Amino acid sequence: MSGHMNLTLKVWRQKDAKAAGKLETYEAKDVSPDMSFLEMIDVVNESLIKKGVEPIAFDHDCREGICGACSMYINGHAHGPKQGITTCQLHMRSFKDGETITIEPWRAKAFPIIKDLVVDRSAFDRIIQAGGYVSVNTGVTIDANAIAIPKEHADNAMDAATCIGCGACVAACKNASATLFLSAKVSQLALLPQGHPERAARVEAMIDQMELEGFGNCTNTEACSAECPKEIGQEHIARMNREFYAAKLSSSKTK
Amino acid sequence: MILDSKIPDGPLAEKWTKHKFNLKLVNPANKRKYNIIVVGTGLAGASAAASLAELGYNVQAFCFQDSPRRAHSIAAQGGINAAKNYPNDGDSVYRLFYDTVKGGDYRAREGNVHRLAEVSVNIIDQCVAQGVPFAREYGGLLDNRSFGGSQVSRTFYARGQTGQQLLLGAYSALSRQIHAGKVKMHTREEMLDLVMIDGQAKGIVTRNLETGAIDTHAAHAVLLCTGGYGNVFFLSTNAQGSNVTAAWRAHKHGALFANPCFTQIHPTCIPVSGDHQSKLTLMSESLRNDGRVWVPKAKGDKRKASEIPEDERDYFLERKYPSFGNLVPRDVASRNAKEQCDLGKGVGTSGLAVYLDFAESISRLGEDTVRARYGNLFDMYAQITGENPYKEPMRIYPAVHYTMGGLWVDYNLMTTIPGLYALGEANFSDHGANRLGASALMQGLADGYFVVPYTVGDYLATIGPKAIDAKHPAFAEAKAKVEAQTKKLLAIKGTKTVAEYHRELGHIMWEYCGMARNDAGLRKAQVLIQELRADFWKNVNVTGTNEELNQQLERAGRVADFLELGELMVVDALNRSESCGGHFREESQTEEGEALRNDNDFCYVAAWEYTGDNQPEVLHKEVLKFESVKLTQRSYK
Ligand SMILES: Cc1cc2nc3c(=O)[nH]c(=O)nc-3n(C[C@H](O)[C@H](O)[C@H](O)COP(=O)(O)OP(=O)(O)OC[C@H]3O[C@@H](n4cnc5c(N)ncnc54)[C@H](O)[C@@H]3O)c2cc1C
Ligand code: SF4
Ligand code: FES
């Protein structure tokens, strides 16, 4: 069919967490430009199964850029070459016939590889568990409109809240820092009055947890925002830093 | 078996209050002696797990994704309904109740729906308190939009990512309880069977998707919050992993399955582009607020949309339904799109699409306003199709989206198995034969935050806090059964892939049990599914082993269950020879081609009982009684 492409894939294959991994080469034939990147892998996997080769394992679920499951490092970019999208939203029309595409998992100490392109991102959950919430129980009785929130604050909070927890920021960072991810949650809750009572404790607890998980420090390279599929900006890191210093100043905690 | 819905008597608006008062309570000091299993961490599961843990119960929660935050609920776009009446446009609890019963084509229980409308207002309060950044107006108060099937603006939203924000709210409440040690979270762990002791649900069997370890877990009650089964059609708007396994395996233990054929086909999805297609992407129905649906008046008109003059366009929804226009309920919009395409007026290369056009809104409101409302949806469309919807109209076509059917539950959300509950899309409860937009999020959170925390206590207080004996032979037996099935799947080593079977099943379902159904087609489908299922168990190729992360094995188990569910859907659709809501039987339509209900013969919930492998299921009827609403032929003219 017109516009269809033949591609060469170099894919990271690793049997389990302990095994050594390596890049294997596969041919992807007759790829339609309308396919998503994951659909292209589906087709390759079907052909691998037919040849008796184990299919490539990768995380995915929603396939529309919102669940944060998909996580491929494509030609040296988290989620591939295009900005503002996840791997599942990348379409093959972004590639050219004859191209070679290298596909690797996220690489970070805090994200151990489970198999092939699947990594363990549970450290992100533990960072949220450390304090990424407002402590309210079910059964609130304050009317939702009792507190007016300036639209601008609500919109900025929403910008931060769109983080999908994919981990591309960590994968893109030479220090494997989770600062952008963390700052998105801190920033969202700092912008909303509901988040204020716990703001000091929250930022400290989350940063402590990040360090405990083995993520690196932020050295302001801004690679994270550049690769973030939701384009979470650096202003959230700045806001998080302000929260952190304010917390330190007011903190009675001595370490 | 007599199906007792346990709807309390008394006036509609007082039922829930009265019921809450009559439910038994568990003494606060005793709550920690009870263990509750919550399977699923979508809106229903995450909200239930967090709320129950806050009350003091010990909760174990499970999901098959790597994080509870990735449940399919995350993908909901458009919004959540609530009868707040903030816009002062005449909304009320009663109106939301009425719209939902009518929208469901009078196949839902009045009592349940009224409760849903009552608690809807609490949901919004709860979410705002959690820090959910709903859209606001310049004055700082919450904004609302309108949605299909209603004439008031009662939908709260967070850009086009409402499900994400609501789920992250529930996930944050869940995370807080995990941190507090009240919820033990099991990720990448899939429930593969229910454990029954003396006819009651007492635990589950799971497979760890990383290691393959098969384990059992005991509890005083089990809550299935495992979502819908739209993926039986292979192509749907659901996430790839969405499946029926937990509900289906419970069904095999005696939980009746209600109205399985009630499927919602969503009118505004991006059309199929080729055989490689793995899922269909929804364009939120909220787009119909500002987008106008049309096709060329002439058959086979292949001109570009911009070259077709105004008077050669047919805005068929506005023409046929002047009072609701583009905002008719989903089933009506979907069927009309199909009708236009069947008439040869479809657009795009496949001819299986209609236009959704924003030109008029852009000229009236300006591109910026349209971008502010729908920016991310437009981006998504452009990304997938390579076309710019600000310049050319979108092409849309209906796709499977939601399943109204599910496990039968009573007013307490308990299934026909004592101790087993079903919440959210996994149950059948509130949407009748058609769900209104923005009502699934409402129902999932209503069930999890505000219904089950009360009703489960009643059962727990009745059975008492005595620990469940994890050494009971029922656990070992259930585990052995799961191990045997896993071995069996891996041993077949046939020639066809799991995906091939899934796609074939999907074709059968879409062709014969999709937007329009008829007797002959359904009978044919039943035979085809039986053959396909038999072939699957002889010839499927599941690669790899159990003791590893094995996505083929995961999917094989899910497809095996879809192959059984698919047949039940067809049987249910055959039985229900009326048309209602999303279920359109070609034999039952008005002269104008609208769905024709038959209230004399079908005003009931069809609840099916499993009787054994490859045995016909037995139908039980829960007759629906309407005390407040008068049944009329739905009209959106
Ligand atoms: C694209 C899209 C847009 C939508 N937009 C809207 C909207 O705007 N408004 C609206 O009201 N509704 C909308 N809906 C519908 C709504 O999102 C869903 O009905 C609802 O979110 C379902 O929630 P749930 O909690 O019941 O299940 P889900 O969110 O599907 O969660 C299921 C959970 O169960 C787990 N699970 C399933 N099986 C197992 C198993 N065997 N073992 C362990 N765990 C298991 C999963 O891991 C997951 O955590 C939309 C749906 C789609 C597909
Ligand atoms: S900040 Fe961006 S890259 Fe990092 S997890 Fe969130 S969405 Fe992904
Ligand atoms: S699969 Fe959900 S974001 Fe890509």
Side-chain angles (χ1 to χ4, degrees):
Chain A
M1 247 172 125
S2 74
H4 282 213
M5 303 172 271
N6 293 321
L7 305 163
T8 304
L9 307 183
K10 292 191 183 301
V11 186
W12 186 262
R13 302 301 309 262
Q14 180 170 335
K15 186 150 181 51
D16 55 43
K18 292 184 207 97
K22 63 169 185 189
L23 287 171
E24 298 276 359
T25 305
Y26 305 109
E27 299 302 318
K29 294 234 177 314
D30 202 26
V31 173
S32 153
D34 289 330
M35 283 180 183
S36 72
F37 200 84
L38 298 186
E39 285 170 343
M40 184 273 295
I41 307 266
D42 288 343
V43 172
V44 169
N45 271 344
E46 288 291 293
S47 74
L48 291 181
I49 296 172
K50 296 282 181 193
K51 284 187 221 147
V53 180
E54 259 215 60
I56 304 156
F58 61 99
D59 263 325
H60 65 106
D61 200 20
C62 72
R63 296 202 173 195
E64 51 185 71
I66 194 73
C67 74
C70 62
S71 41
M72 294 186 190
Y73 205 72
I74 302 164
N75 287 346
H77 290 284
H79 294 304
K82 296 198 85 174
Q83 290 219 312
I85 55 169
T86 54
T87 306
C88 59
Q89 291 174 296
L90 178 62
H91 277 68
M92 297 314 291
R93 66 179 77 88
S94 302
F95 297 89
K96 282 195 256 349
D97 190 28
E99 225 177 296
T100 297
I101 306 176
T102 306
I103 310 168
E104 293 178 82
W106 287 173
R107 305 241 183 229
K109 187 169 135 231
F111 288 166
I113 295 178
I114 296 172
K115 182 177 185 174
D116 296 344
L117 305 172
V118 178
V119 301
D120 179 351
R121 287 170 286 188
S122 53
F124 267 14
D125 285 330
R126 290 188 293 273
I127 291 177
I128 299 292
Q129 286 155 22
Y133 40 74
V134 176
S135 298
V136 290
N137 283 358
T138 301
V140 176
T141 50
I142 312 172
D143 185 82
N145 258 348
I147 308 173
I149 301 177
K151 180 169 162 45
E152 201 192 322
H153 292 193
D155 287 348
N156 289 343
M158 181 64 197
D159 288 342
T162 57
C163 165
I164 57 175
C166 64
C169 45
V170 175
C173 174
K174 66 178 168 63
N175 309 319
S177 171
T179 303
L180 190 66
F181 165 76
L182 197 158
S183 75
K185 187 48 77 185
V186 169
S187 182
Q188 174 200 344
L189 295 178
L191 281 157
L192 297 171
Q194 289 80 6
H196 287 180
E198 297 167 284
R199 62 203 293 183
R202 172 180 307 117
V203 67
E204 291 192 298
M206 290 177 76
I207 290 181
D208 285 351
Q209 188 66 33
M210 173 170 75
E211 285 169 2
L212 212 64
E213 297 289 348
F215 291 101
N217 286 325
C218 175
T219 53
N220 302 312
T221 66
E222 304 189 9
C224 49
S225 290
E227 298 278 24
C228 170
K230 298 293 146 184
E231 303 181 312
I232 306 284
Q234 293 290 306
E235 68 274 21
H236 300 293
I237 296 187
R239 188 171 292 110
M240 182 195 80
N241 286 335
R242 282 202 297 281
E243 290 289 305
F244 184 67
Y245 294 124
K248 279 283 169 231
L249 278 178
S250 68
S251 172
S252 53
K253 233 166 90 179
T254 40
K255 270 200 266 181
Chain B
M1 185 183 302
I2 291 169
L3 288 174
D4 179 3
S5 66
K6 303 220 172 78
I7 297 280
D9 29 79
L12 186 62
E14 288 162 31
K15 285 182 196 288
W16 177 230
T17 309
K18 186 174 145 197
H19 189 68
K20 278 194 287 189
F21 181 73
N22 289 333
L23 288 170
K24 286 194 210 102
L25 295 174
V26 175
N27 172 321
N30 272 344
K31 290 206 172 86
R32 62 186 165 76
K33 296 182 188 155
Y34 289 97
N35 294 315
I36 301 175
I37 283 175
V38 178
V39 188
T41 59
L43 288 180
S47 59
S51 305
L52 291 166
E54 286 162 10
L55 289 174
Y57 297 109
N58 296 313
V59 176
Q60 296 204 70
F62 296 81
C63 70
F64 63 75
Q65 291 92 345
D66 66 329
S67 163
R69 67 180 290 153
R70 304 205 206 284
H72 165 61
S73 294
I74 200 91
Q77 300 172 350
I80 176 167
N81 288 330
K84 281 283 197 188
N85 193 30
Y86 287 152
N88 195 29
D89 59 357
D91 200 11
S92 62
V93 166
Y94 190 82
R95 187 178 295 281
L96 175 53
F97 153 78
Y98 178 84
D99 286 351
T100 308
V101 171
K102 177 185 172 199
D105 220 357
Y106 309 98
R107 292 294 175 264
R109 278 185 205 139
E110 282 188 341
N112 281 56
V113 177
H114 198 276
R115 173 177 68 191
L116 176 65
E118 283 173 54
V119 302
S120 70
V121 296
N122 306 98
I123 295 172
I124 304 304
D125 299 342
Q126 186 66 35
C127 295
V128 167
Q130 290 167 343
V132 169
F134 282 120
R136 288 176 183 269
E137 298 179 350
Y138 284 101
L141 300 183
L142 294 162
D143 190 21
N144 288 115
R145 54 164 62 143
S146 54
F147 238 65
S150 131
Q151 286 171 313
V152 294
S153 291
R154 62 161 75 99
T155 305
F156 294 79
Y157 66 101
R159 295 202 188 133
Q161 290 139 267
T162 315
Q164 180 197 28
Q165 295 311 314
L166 296 176
L167 182 60
L168 292 181
Y171 161 81
S172 70
L174 175 66
S175 297
R176 177 172 161 243
Q177 295 306 313
I178 295 171
H179 190 64
K182 289 304 290 179
V183 175
K184 168 92 183 76
M185 183 69 226
H186 305 257
T187 58
R188 290 201 204 268
E189 197 152 340
E190 180 166 28
M191 167 180 166
L192 293 179
D193 211 350
L194 184 70
V195 181
M196 302 271 292
I197 299 178
D198 301 332
Q200 306 203 350
K202 294 293 179 202
I204 62 172
V205 184
T206 59
R207 178 170 177 274
N208 179 317
L209 302 182
E210 253 179 75
T211 63
I214 293 172
D215 291 312
T216 58
H217 309 268
H220 293 87
V222 176
L223 276 51
L224 299 186
C225 313
T226 46
Y229 50 86
N231 277 347
V232 66
F233 288 86
F234 183 71
L235 286 183
S236 83
T237 61
N238 291 9
Q240 297 289 292
S242 297
N243 70 89
V244 77
T245 290
W248 191 254
R249 299 200 182 171
H251 174 56
K252 289 184 160 184
H253 282 286
L256 300 197
F257 209 107
N259 299 334
C261 82
F262 285 173
T263 313
Q264 177 163 85
I265 316 265
H266 196 290
T268 51
C269 302
I270 300 179
V272 175
S273 73
D275 289 339
H276 56 262
Q277 195 95 28
S278 61
K279 79 156 291 172
L280 293 168
T281 303
L282 170 80
M283 294 279 98
S284 167
E285 159 171 58
S286 61
L287 290 169
R288 287 197 276 143
N289 274 313
D290 290 305
R292 300 177 69 197
V293 177
W294 65 275
V295 291
K297 278 188 181 157
K299 275 186 201 178
D301 187 339
K302 288 288 163 206
R303 285 177 294 174
K304 285 204 337 222
S306 55
E307 289 162 7
I308 302 178
E310 210 39 50
D311 62 348
E312 292 178 40
R313 301 176 175 192
D314 180 12
Y315 295 87
F316 53 92
L317 292 177
E318 296 171 24
R319 169 172 58 80
K320 290 174 73 174
Y321 309 97
S323 62
F324 277 71
N326 294 297
L327 290 177
V328 290
R330 294 179 170 172
D331 53 328
V332 179
S334 292
R335 241 179 346 262
N336 275 281
K338 177 181 190 301
E339 184 183 82
Q340 295 302 320
C341 295
D342 289 349
L343 289 170
K345 297 182 182 179
V347 301
T349 39
S350 65
L352 288 176
V354 299
Y355 286 127
L356 179 64
D357 197 334
F358 292 86
E360 196 258 344
S361 298
I362 290 173
S363 68
R364 179 168 42 92
L365 303 163
E367 195 171 310
D368 286 347
T369 307
V370 171
R371 179 167 284 119
R373 282 186 195 166
Y374 310 110
N376 73 317
L377 297 172
F378 277 45
D379 292 348
M380 192 185 244
Y381 182 85
Q383 186 57 45
I384 292 172
T385 61
E387 292 165 16
N388 177 356
Y390 293 99
K391 301 277 174 263
E392 302 166 57
M394 290 182 177
R395 286 173 295 108
I396 55 164
Y397 199 63
V400 172
H401 179 54
Y402 181 88
T403 47
M404 281 73 70
L407 291 177
W408 185 91
V409 289
D410 64 16
Y411 192 63
N412 294 323
L413 304 182
M414 183 141 66
T415 67
T416 47
I417 296 177
L420 181 72
Y421 292 74
L423 282 66
E425 194 173 340
N427 72 28
F428 87 107
S429 68
D430 296 354
H431 308 293
N434 173 55
R435 172 176 72 77
L436 291 182
S439 286
L441 301 183
M442 168 172 74
Q443 182 227 330
L445 290 180
D447 289 359
Y449 283 135
F450 297 111
V451 178
V452 108
Y454 290 94
T455 59
V456 84
D458 186 63
Y459 170 75
L460 295 176
T462 312
I463 61 167
K466 194 165 162 284
I468 310 299
D469 174 16
K471 302 233 161 48
H472 192 283
F475 286 95
E477 279 163 29
K479 182 177 168 187
K481 204 174 107 196
V482 168
E483 285 167 344
Q485 157 141 2
T486 309
K487 280 212 184 77
K488 193 169 159 193
L489 281 168
L490 286 164
I492 301 169
K493 295 276 176 266
T495 60
K496 270 168 73 172
T497 65
V498 180
E500 285 172 313
Y501 282 102
H502 194 180
R503 189 178 293 118
E504 246 173 84
L505 174 65
H507 280 311
I508 300 171
M509 296 303 295
W510 181 244
E511 184 64 26
Y512 302 108
C513 199
M515 260 187 288
R517 304 154 173 191
N518 63 51
D519 187 277
L522 289 165
R523 283 179 204 285
K524 183 166 172 199
Q526 189 176 5
V527 176
L528 290 174
I529 296 169
Q530 287 168 352
E531 288 169 0
L532 189 66
R533 187 167 66 228
D535 190 59
F536 173 91
W537 284 103
K538 278 199 230 98
N539 195 28
V540 71
N541 180 13
V542 185
T543 53
T545 65
N546 176 58
E547 288 71 30
E548 61 179 333
L549 187 148
N550 185 341
Q551 295 173 321
Q552 293 295 312
L553 178 61
E554 291 165 28
R555 188 164 183 192
R558 295 171 192 163
V559 171
D561 293 332
F562 281 142
L563 283 163
E564 296 180 7
L565 165 78
E567 181 176 355
L568 182 63
M569 290 170 72
V570 163
V571 167
D572 185 44
L574 253 179
N575 170 66
R576 193 174 283 275
S577 60
E578 68 163 349
S579 294
C580 60
H583 169 65
F584 190 71
R585 278 290 299 263
E586 286 167 1
E587 299 91 336
S588 182
Q589 48 183 308
T590 64
E591 276 173 16
E592 295 153 315
E594 302 293 337
L596 183 63
R597 276 200 334 266
N598 172 352
D599 293 329
N600 287 334
D601 298 322
F602 290 101
C603 198
Y604 64 75
V605 176
W608 297 90
E609 182 187 358
Y610 186 83
T611 59
D613 285 348
N614 298 310
Q615 297 298 310
E617 299 223 0
V618 173
L619 173 64
H620 300 270
K621 298 178 185 176
E622 180 200 333
V623 174
L624 291 167
K625 288 188 231 54
F626 290 89
E627 291 165 0
S628 297
V629 172
K630 204 168 134 278
L631 273 64
T632 53
Q633 191 65 28
R634 261 185 343 165
S635 167
Y636 293 91
K637 294 261 168 194

